[in-house]
Every structure is written in C-alpha cells, then in structure tokens.
Amino acid sequence: MYKHPQEITFKAIILGILLSMILAGANAYLGLFAGMTVSASIPAAVISMGVLRIFRNSNILENNIVQTAASAGESLAAGVIFTIPALVLMGVWSEFNYYEVAKIAAIGGLIGVLFTVPLRRALIVEADLKYPEGIATAAILKAGENNTRSEKLDESGGLITIAISGIVGGCMKLCQQGMGMWSGAIEGARVISIEISGKISYQSIFGVGTDLSPALISVGYIVGRNIGILVLIGGLISWVIAIPIYTAIYGFEGDPMEAAWDIWNSQIRYLGVGAMVTGGIWSLIKLLKPLIIGIKASLNAIKKSKQNKNLPIQERDFPINYVAIALGFMLIPVFLLYFEIVQHIPLAILLTLVMMVFGFLFSSVAAYMAGVVGSSNNPISGVTIATILFASLLLLFLLGENSNVGAPAAIMIGAIVCCAAAIGGDNLQDLKTGYILGATPWKQQVMQVIGTISAALVLGFVLNILHVAYTIGSPTLPAPQATLMKSVADGVFNNNLPWKMVGLGVLIGIIIILIDLRQEKIGSDFRVPILAVAVGIYLPIELSVPIFIGGMIAYFSDKSNSTETMKKRGLLISSGLITGEALMGILVAVPIFISSNKNWWPKVYGFEILGMISFITVIIWLYRSVTIKSSS
C-alpha cells in the first residue's frame, strides 16, 4: 500500500524558517541597491537538498516544503523594501520602527497568501500556466532525488558552486564597501556642443557608467537577454536621449556629471513613473478577462470539492471557508493600521476596502504574470505605483492639498498591496512545483504562512542596520523603488509632480505597448514588456549596464547550445554571487550599526584597477561556465 511521504517535519520547518530569514535579508539589500529582486526558489531547493541529506530520512517533498517557506520570505522582502522605506524618506518616520515594519509586512504577506489560495486551481490546474521558476525548481529537486548519497548533489556541484560564488561575491563587497579599496561604479559625462547655421549653439550632456557589482551581472543572467536589453534601452532613453535634449533646451550649470544627476533625479526619472503607471494599468486591463475566467473556475472547483470530500491529497487546498474567515479577521488590523494614520473612522474603513480590492486584483495579476513571465520579471513595481497614484488622488480629493496624512496613508495602502502581490506571484510558483511533484497544497500554504511570518520578524531589523550604516536613499543604497513611491505620493499632495514628464512617460509607455503588440502579432520571441523599459528609464544607467551584460551572457549560453547542467551551473553561480554580495553588505553594516561609527572599517584606498579586474574576471568566469563544455 502506497504511503505518502512526510512533508512538514520538524527539521524542514527549522530549515525553512532559517532560509526564509537569510534570503529575505539578502533580497532586501539587493532591492534597495539595484531596484530589482530575483526569485530564490532554486538556490533554496539546492541548499535544502544539501542540508537534509545529512539526515537518514529525507525526501523530495520535504525539500519542496523548505524552498516554499524560503521563497515566501524573499518575496516578502520585495514588497517591504519597494514601499516602506518611503516613510523614512518623506520624514514620517525618523528611523525604522521594528514593530511597525513587522506588523505591516506580516499583514500584507498573510493577505497575499490567503488571496492566492482560491487561485491555485484556476491558474495551475485549469489554466495550466508555465510558471518557469516553478518548473525549473521541480526539475532540480527531481535531479537531486535521483542521485545516490555518495554522489555530488548534482552535476554542476550544487552547494559547492553556490558556496564558491558566494565567497567571491562577498569578498568583492567587503573590499569595495567595507575597506573602500575601489569605488562602486565607473561613470563619466561629456558635453557636446552643437551649432546650427553658425549662430545658435546648444550644449548637451551625455552620461554613461557601470556599477562594478557581480550581483547585477547575476540579476541580468537570471532575467535573461530580453529583459537585459530592455532595461538598457530604458537607461539609454534617459541618459542618451532625454538628458541631452533637456540640457540643450534648458542648459545646465556646474560639473556635467553632477548636473546630469540633478536633472535625472528632478525631471527625467519621472518619465519612468509615467511608463510604470501605464504598464500597471495595462497589466490589469490585459489580464481582466482571464482573471474573471480563472476565478469562476476556482469557484466551480470549490463546489465540486464540497460534493466530493474524498479528493486526492494532491488536490486539497486550505479550506476556503477558513480562508474567508481569516480574510475577515485581517480587516481588523488593516483598519487599525489606517486609523492610526488618519484618525477618522469612516476614512479608515474606506481605505481598508480600497486596499482589499486592489490587493486582490493585483495579487491575482501578479499570480497570473508569474505563470507567464516568471517571478523575477513580475510587474510588482508597476501595479504598486498605480495603486499609490490612485490612492493619492483619492485622498487628495477627500482631504485636500494641505493634509499631512494623505501621502503616508497612500504609501501604507501601497505597502500592503505590494507585499500581498509579491507573495501572490511567488506562492503560485511554489505551488506549481508542488503540483508537479505531487505535494499537498494546504501543507505548502501553511509553510508559506510560516515563511512569511519568519521574514516579517527580521526585515525591520535588517532595514535599521542598513539605514544606520549606509543611509537608505543615499548613493550607496539608493532604494530606487521606494524613492519612486515617495516622489509620487509627495508630488500629488505638494503639487510639485512634474506632470509634463509623467505625461511624456505615459506616451512612451503607450508606444512601447504598441511595439509589443506588434511583436506578439508577428510571433516574435523578442517581446517588449513595458515595465522592463520603465524600470530601465527609472534606474541609474550604471545599474542598467551590468544587468545588460548578464543578460547577454545568458543569450550566448543559449546560442552555444549549452547543456542543462551548464545552464544550471550558471544559475547557481549567479544565485551565489547575489546572496554572497547581499549578505556581506549586511554583515559590513552590523559593526557600524552597533558602534554608530560610519568609519568603523579601516580604509585602504587606491586599488581602482583591482576592482575593474575583479569585475571583468567575474564576467569571464560566468561566461566560460555556461558556454564552454568541460573536458570531462
């Protein structure tokens, strides 16, 4: 008689909690630094296989449970760092209140888990969406299960690969961030004079640069060629088209590079805001019909499950009546959260309802999009900025321009929605993995709750450490997405949002959408998702360049007919570089946080060439690992 393997075990819970906390911290740093986050399901699965092999009784479903909890933690980090730092940037908070961050993260994350329970059957079973990271994670878990205990974890070296690349990424971060041996980026600007008819002279600034970060190369490798190219195109729109035109028309003063940064920060980046809002609205419009169909399918499945209580174990979700009760209960802390800000009961009730509507819509959008393009390419920032803009305009209408609570309330709505949407997309990836492996859905949903709460308990602490050491919002840790949310909410209430630039961004977004529709019509494999370009417009050009390089390495990997083992090795190297650099960024900050001395680390200047050599070496290493077959 077949006995279903154990899934939720004590060792799996402990390992899931630890990985959730660690990967949440790492992804928080990456998002604050680069404005983008990546899925951690695959490295979590590999680490789980390596650790659980120590025990006599371990199985593939245990490893699946561990990666489910771990990836819930890293996805919650994205929802937190995209929004909550905006409250510090706008001066509402002087520092990150641990209790408040934990409360907001836990509320948003739990709502995200609950929203996605009825979507599992609709999107995974009925719609049968791809969920690329989910399929890849299942393949890696199967490969690990098929190996004997005397063999390596997998052909690419598994844990050893992650460990080596993690050490490389961590050492480079220690040398650059801690010791100051080289600067984090190479950048420069040139002024070009243009004369017309020998009389009218224009001066334009052209700026370019690259960050020397292995993590950004790795992000590019994971998101792939298309996204890497589009992010760079967005950067070129800002720095090679928009800034030169702006400076030619309005002129500039002082150092060209400083002038370019000032213009980009105060004007040009709002092109990205307009494009992101357009992308968020377009995502909702495009997915409205399949979303309605999916919800109907889910409701029909619930009716069938009531009629047939003897469902296979692989089809048993968390009971829908408990989901409804839990969501009803969650209305209370959400209401209290908003009442604490606005001190007005009817308005707090309205904001709670707005959040719940937007939370469900955008969690559904994120869940659907994760099935189409993957978690790493999910348009979380687009739907969040659309939410914050709508909430800001609604609150402006209700409270007026002089309100000092409107902008924080809008950010708080966006924070809950962003956490819910981030969790929603990632959770469906994990449930797809479980569906392939024959896991029990309700057990995975329980572990998603555990992973979410675990991450919520550490993110406030991580944010405080990073803020004391680096100052979130500074060039060292720019927090691009949170700065964007703050700029929009503040701009609406202070009436200083550069609407012309936002409008031009909307126009750019519409043009890009039309291009993408054309690409879809002709059946091209090079699609042009609007949010990838919008992120590129909004990010500093020095972040776009290494992401593009990583994307091209992924492209050359495909062109060279790399084996699945080589592609897996590249993914593990990239995951290790990201995790090592991010964790070292946090570790470097710890003694600064404890001592309150920003100069705690001894400085060893004058090794700029070593930084460039290290950066180029990492590029060559990753390229050779995924394009050149070993002699063995």
Side-chain angles (χ1 to χ4, degrees), residues 582-593:
L583 291 180
M584 183 56 72
I586 297 171
L587 291 175
V588 166
V590 169
I592 299 174
F593 172 76

Side-chain angles (χ1 to χ4, degrees), residues 240-466:
V240 180
I241 298 175
I243 290 177
I245 291 174
Y246 189 92
T247 50
I249 295 173
Y250 297 104
F252 66 93
E253 296 179 359
D255 178 75
M257 198 68 216
E258 291 182 5
W261 278 113
D262 289 340
I263 293 166
W264 172 81
N265 190 54
S266 62
Q267 296 291 329
I268 304 304
R269 71 192 315 183
Y270 288 94
L271 294 173
V273 173
M276 278 192 183
V277 170
T278 305
I281 295 172
W282 174 245
S283 297
L284 188 57
I285 293 171
K286 193 174 181 182
L287 298 175
L288 198 56
K289 184 177 178 180
L291 188 59
I292 292 171
I293 294 172
I295 292 171
K296 287 181 178 178
S298 183
L299 292 174
N300 289 334
I302 292 166
K303 290 179 182 177
K304 290 179 183 177
S305 67
K306 288 181 179 179
Q307 296 169 0
N308 179 18
K309 295 184 179 179
N310 296 319
L311 280 175
I313 195 168
Q314 296 87 352
E315 293 297 325
R316 297 178 188 175
D317 287 288
F318 201 71
I320 194 65
N321 54 328
Y322 292 170
V323 172
I325 293 169
L327 281 172
F329 177 78
M330 293 303 295
L331 290 172
I332 299 172
V334 172
F335 165 78
L336 294 175
L337 197 66
Y338 294 138
F339 179 73
E340 188 178 335
I341 298 174
V342 299
Q343 295 292 309
H344 189 273
I345 291 177
L347 183 55
I349 293 173
L350 176 62
L351 295 182
T352 301
L353 295 176
V354 168
M355 191 289 303
M356 281 294 184
V357 171
F358 273 87
F360 178 71
L361 284 175
F362 289 142
S363 293
S364 303
V365 168
Y368 188 96
M369 290 298 290
V372 177
V373 299
S375 297
S376 298
N377 300 327
N378 219 338
I380 301 299
S381 55
V383 298
T384 304
I385 197 62
T387 300
I388 288 178
L389 183 58
F390 174 83
S392 297
L393 293 173
L394 174 64
L395 288 165
L396 179 66
F397 173 76
L398 294 173
L399 301 175
E401 288 187 7
N402 296 324
S403 171
N404 60 354
V405 300
I411 293 295
M412 203 67 80
I413 290 175
I416 302 292
V417 169
C418 192
C419 288
I423 285 287
D426 196 81
N427 280 3
L428 267 291
Q429 292 282 2
D430 299 331
L431 290 168
K432 178 70 172 184
T433 301
Y435 181 70
I436 295 170
L437 300 177
T440 309
W442 74 262
K443 291 182 180 179
Q444 282 192 273
Q445 289 153 358
V446 168
M447 288 304 292
Q448 287 166 348
V449 170
I450 291 173
T452 297
I453 294 174
S454 302
L457 291 175
V458 300
L459 283 169
F461 186 56
V462 170
L463 287 176
N464 247 331
I465 289 175
L466 295 176

